[in-house]
Amino acid sequence: LGSALLAASGKRLRVWAHGGHAAARHLAQVLGLSLFRELRQMRRPLTGPELPEPVVPAGVRIRTFVPGQDDTAWLAVNAAAFAHHPEQGSLTQRDLDDRKAESWFDPAGFFLAFKNDELVGFHWTKVHAEEQLGEVYVVGVAPGRQGGGLGKALTTTGLRHLAAAGLPTAMLYVDADNKAAVSVYERLGFTTYETDLMYRTES
């Protein structure tokens, strides 16, 4: 199957190995694929001691997303915060509308941070009802506003919201090479639950 995919794609192939198992590593090596991306799923319990109050930077206020009113500002900050990320950073109004139409979308779990009237960061949470999991779906801080504790404050705000909804566990996905984000999440009690690896042929 791997050889057939290589032939069909002209030897331009990207493959996810969920769980990063040894057999997948071996197959990738046999096919001549190199490791390109390491995506970690991290989890932490939401039960037990109450999460601390978020420490919001001076002059910043946090409120929830208002569909239609906040779309344009959110898309701009999302694009700037994830300019390096080919998937998240390229979201359009249509992409946002598609997500707002999903059954899981809940603006009460979509938090925006403002400095004066400028949107400077956000935390969008997601609930996986069947699995009883709350997800840190995406956290973004505008360039120039990073490093001041806003990301941690937004993440804590969202986690407290998920805990208040009665969810026992929170999860998130983060690229292993995003050291700053991994460090923030580890300090908030997250540990690696599973690792997914992407292999590719092109250099």
Side-chain angles (χ1 to χ4, degrees):
L1 285 171
S3 297
L5 284 168
L6 284 170
S9 65
K11 293 190 175 180
R12 291 187 61 81
L13 189 63
R14 295 186 180 192
V15 181
W16 278 107
H18 296 286
H21 299 293
R25 293 173 187 264
H26 176 70
L27 178 60
Q29 186 177 25
V30 168
L31 294 174
L33 306 177
S34 57
L35 181 63
F36 172 61
R37 187 177 174 195
E38 180 181 336
L39 186 68
R40 294 184 188 175
Q41 183 189 142
M42 305 182 77
R43 294 189 180 190
R44 65 148 291 164
L46 292 174
T47 54
E50 187 176 357
L51 286 152
E53 287 278 353
V55 180
V56 181
V60 172
R61 62 185 176 88
I62 296 176
R63 66 164 173 83
T64 54
F65 180 85
V66 179
Q69 174 182 309
D70 295 318
D71 294 27
T72 301
W74 179 81
L75 285 165
V77 172
N78 178 72
F82 291 97
H84 62 287
H85 195 292
E87 298 160 7
Q88 185 65 32
S90 63
L91 292 185
T92 65
Q93 181 67 54
R94 181 173 179 177
D95 296 320
L96 178 56
D97 289 341
D98 287 345
R99 284 160 176 76
K100 289 193 294 183
E102 293 282 351
S103 60
W104 56 261
F105 177 75
D106 180 6
F110 192 164
F111 299 93
L112 305 181
F114 290 87
K115 178 82 171 182
N116 299 319
D117 291 325
E118 177 191 359
L119 180 61
V120 293
F122 61 88
H123 178 190
W124 190 349
T125 69
K126 181 178 181 178
V127 173
H128 301 268
E130 288 188 11
E131 297 91 343
Q132 282 292 286
L133 283 172
E135 181 178 352
V136 178
Y137 185 47
V138 59
V139 177
V141 176
R145 303 289 185 176
Q146 298 164 351
L150 180 56
K152 181 178 180 181
L154 281 163
T155 304
T156 304
T157 298
L159 290 174
R160 286 172 63 91
H161 167 77
L162 294 170
L167 295 161
T169 307
M171 56 86 73
L172 58 87
Y173 291 99
V174 62
D175 280 291
D177 61 1
N178 189 346
K179 305 295 186 184
V182 171
S183 178
V184 167
Y185 295 138
E186 287 179 339
R187 288 198 298 271
L188 285 168
F190 283 89
T191 57
T192 299
Y193 177 79
E194 186 176 83
T195 301
D196 296 333
L197 304 176
M198 178 189 279
Y199 295 93
R200 69 174 184 176
T201 49
E202 64 266 42
S203 56

